[in-house]
Amino acid sequence: MNSNNNVVKSDKDHIWHHLTQHKIYEARDPMVIVEGKGMKIWDSNGNEYLDATSGGLWTVNVGYGRESIAKVVGQQLTKMCYFSQANGNEPAARFAQKLVEKMPGLNRVYFSNSGSEANEKAYKIVRQIAHNKYGGKKHKILYRDRDYHGTTITALSSTGQLQRKDQYGPFTPGFVEVPHCCEYRSQYGDDGDYGIKAALAIEEVILREGPDTVGALVLEPITAGGGVITPPEGYWEKVQEICKKYDILLHIDEVVCGLGRTGKWFGYQHYGIKPDIVTMAKGVASGYAAISCTVTTEQVFDQFKNNPSDPMSYFRDISTFGGCTAGPAAALENMRIIEEENLLDNVTKMGDYLLGKLHDLKEKHEVIGDVRGKGLFCGLELVVDRETKQPVDESITQAVVGECMAQGVIIGATNRSFREFNNTICLSPALICTTEELDEIVTAIDNALSKICG
């Protein structure tokens, strides 16, 4: 998801603009964001916007302008900014302890600096276990159609979004796709038990590949950039059962859902499952510093202690910037804010309010085919016709985004992910949002749909 306006300065003479065509910026300047406070941001021309995307990419969970986070980061950097992960540091140790208190059953934390890197670390764990325990055979990693796990070549190898992957192959071998679980676009017709059928489709892939070759299954708890797809009833319970049956590690990618986005600390905690590996980034420090985490169970960690005399037996991965102290310092303060301001409760209340408003919009606008979401993580799938469910062209979705921006509200959309399903409006306002701010967001969408779609 993006707001069509993410900019990155590369040097004083050039501004590279991500996820939009570059040529147009030879004739006009891109948007440059210069200030933020709460849920509002301002560009270099002084224009004010209400941000319903938490920084364009589900990141600024506690809102802009948090002076307390800036203060603790500044103090920590002055005291001790960095040392390699061959040694520990105080804020990392403190944050790891607080983090695992929120994740019963998991208690080992590996730090890095992006979601892609956190997932790569998880894949290395799976591959090294396969080598040491299964003679290298149980090395395959299953991923799901429509899920996204990162921007590196190997992370893209585990991504079920064809347009994002185009032109970047050949990919890392050993990654195998399983079917999506979007009930609105059921592969199995309108029969009941869709969640069970979607889970059993994973088992079919395992049996086809050979259970003795499959080491892990990586899934988003709620598919994010693939269309804000909430899991159907019975799905997660069956997935957990299948993984246990075939001795397959369950890896949950919480890069988007983690740290309160859905109303619990982590998205998987809504569904009563017990993952072996959990990865996270984005909201861990709400964008105030770069940090990501790969968290495992003690059982997974124990498999790297079997033979201390073997120089290859321990987990040998390293992340240079995983040794930075700014990330965990910011993450500690970010977690304190979520706790002391009761933001998980706010997410649940405001999420229910937002979903209700979105269902009201669906009653008014035929172009809305489906409303989906959990907490402050919601999507509107736009269709040409509700009976056929034919998706609108991506240009329509982007026109709605553009019209909302013209009204001073930034919303997101599935963007350049698929060849035909870039048709879902994505909303992820900060966890601090109020009913008044949500009303403003919904009104902007209402006006935009009326103008663009009639």
Side-chain angles (χ1 to χ4, degrees):
M1 179 189 76
N2 76 35
S3 62
N4 253 5
N5 290 283
N6 294 328
V7 291
V8 176
K9 275 187 178 178
S10 61
D11 57 47
K12 66 180 181 179
D13 297 315
H14 298 88
I15 294 178
W16 296 104
H17 204 278
H18 286 308
L19 292 179
T20 60
Q21 293 289 345
H22 305 322
K23 186 71 175 176
I24 60 175
Y25 297 107
E26 293 179 2
R28 65 179 177 89
D29 291 334
M31 182 178 177
V32 178
I33 307 301
V34 297
E35 187 178 354
K37 188 69 175 176
M39 281 184 57
K40 291 186 176 180
I41 60 171
W42 290 265
D43 67 19
S44 55
N45 295 317
N47 297 310
E48 179 183 297
Y49 301 91
L50 180 63
D51 178 15
T53 67
S54 293
L57 285 170
W58 304 294
T59 298
V60 189
N61 281 10
V62 298
Y64 299 100
R66 291 283 188 169
E67 293 182 7
S68 66
I69 301 181
K71 182 178 179 180
V72 298
V73 169
Q75 291 173 338
Q76 179 57 51
L77 291 178
T78 302
K79 181 180 180 181
M80 181 65 188
C81 63
Y82 171 86
F83 206 85
S84 82
Q85 289 178 308
N87 301 270
N89 67 67
E90 183 182 8
R94 288 170 52 217
F95 178 63
Q97 181 62 47
K98 283 191 69 70
L99 181 63
V100 297
E101 288 172 3
K102 314 296 185 191
M103 309 176 71
L106 296 109
N107 55 3
R108 295 289 177 170
V109 182
Y110 303 79
F111 290 106
S112 47
N113 69 311
S114 72
S116 299
E117 191 178 357
N119 285 330
E120 293 263 0
K121 196 178 294 286
Y123 301 157
K124 286 184 176 180
I125 288 171
V126 174
R127 292 285 170 87
Q128 195 170 341
I129 289 174
H131 179 87
N132 291 335
K133 188 175 180 180
Y134 302 103
K137 190 171 184 181
K138 205 171 175 65
H139 70 277
K140 292 178 185 175
I141 297 171
L142 307 184
Y143 66 93
R144 186 170 56 196
D145 178 23
R146 289 179 164 235
D147 280 11
Y148 177 77
H149 298 295
T151 191
T152 63
I153 294 298
T154 295
L156 283 175
S157 303
S158 65
T159 287
Q161 298 180 9
L162 292 177
Q163 199 171 66
R164 286 202 187 278
K165 299 170 72 164
D166 273 358
Q167 302 179 359
Y168 294 126
F171 295 105
T172 306
F175 289 86
V176 181
E177 187 175 276
V178 301
H180 69 76
C181 68
C182 182
E183 191 163 12
Y184 179 66
R185 296 199 172 275
S186 171
Q187 314 95 306
Y188 316 114
D190 295 328
D191 295 340
D193 296 328
Y194 176 81
I196 301 298
K197 290 177 181 176
L200 289 174
I202 296 174
E203 184 173 34
E204 290 177 12
V205 175
I206 294 169
L207 294 173
R208 183 192 72 205
E209 296 293 322
D212 59 340
T213 71
V214 179
L217 169 67
V218 56
L219 300 171
E220 293 182 89
I222 298 170
T223 298
V228 191
I229 301 168
T230 50
E233 185 177 352
Y235 180 79
W236 273 115
E237 295 86 348
K238 194 65 176 178
V239 167
Q240 179 91 75
E241 177 186 316
I242 290 167
C243 287
K244 289 182 179 297
K245 180 178 180 180
Y246 297 108
D247 189 24
I248 292 170
L249 295 175
L250 180 56
H251 167 190
I252 306 296
D253 179 345
E254 291 273 356
V255 169
V256 171
C257 291
L259 278 296
R261 172 58 52 195
T262 66
K264 291 186 179 291
W265 285 106
F266 296 94
Y268 75 85
Q269 292 171 342
H270 290 281
Y271 306 110
I273 53 174
K274 297 180 179 180
D276 302 288
I277 303 171
V278 176
T279 48
M280 65 196 75
K282 297 190 185 298
V284 174
S286 287
Y288 285 83
I291 181 174
S292 64
C293 307
T294 306
V295 186
T296 75
T297 62
E298 194 70 20
Q299 289 78 13
V300 168
F301 180 73
D302 280 346
Q303 296 187 59
F304 296 90
K305 299 188 299 183
N306 287 337
N307 186 1
S309 65
D310 180 359
M312 301 292 284
S313 67
Y314 66 96
F315 187 51
R316 293 170 289 107
D317 176 84
I318 192 168
S319 166
T320 296
F321 292 110
C324 288
T325 61
L332 277 165
E333 181 62 11
N334 184 71
M335 185 173 280
R336 184 197 67 78
I337 290 169
I338 293 173
E339 289 182 314
E340 294 192 6
E341 296 185 11
N342 297 316
L343 293 186
L344 296 185
D345 288 342
N346 193 61
V347 170
T348 299
K349 293 174 184 175
M350 293 301 100
D352 289 344
Y353 182 83
L354 177 57
L355 278 171
K357 289 290 185 178
L358 296 179
H359 280 289
D360 290 343
L361 278 187
K362 182 181 177 184
E363 291 296 314
K364 181 176 179 179
H365 297 280
E366 286 290 323
V367 72
I368 299 175
D370 195 31
V371 173
R372 303 188 285 262
K374 193 80 169 175
L376 290 172
F377 185 26
C378 300
L380 298 171
E381 183 164 352
L382 306 185
V383 295
V384 174
D385 179 88
R386 286 187 179 178
E387 290 299 318
T388 65
K389 300 182 181 179
Q390 177 187 343
V392 300
D393 185 79
E394 181 176 356
S395 62
I396 299 297
T397 314
Q398 291 304 316
V400 173
V401 172
E403 178 57 30
C404 285
M405 179 163 282
Q407 298 175 63
V409 174
I410 298 177
I411 65 170
T414 46
N415 188 22
R416 295 168 182 85
S417 301
F418 305 103
R419 296 193 179 110
E420 61 174 338
F421 288 117
N422 298 312
N423 64 316
T424 301
I425 298 295
C426 302
L427 301 175
S428 54
L431 315 188
I432 61 173
C433 69
T434 63
T435 55
E436 291 78 14
E437 287 163 330
L438 294 179
D439 285 343
E440 186 176 345
I441 293 164
V442 172
T443 297
I445 297 171
D446 185 8
N447 293 337
L449 291 174
S450 296
K451 181 175 181 179
I452 303 300
C453 306

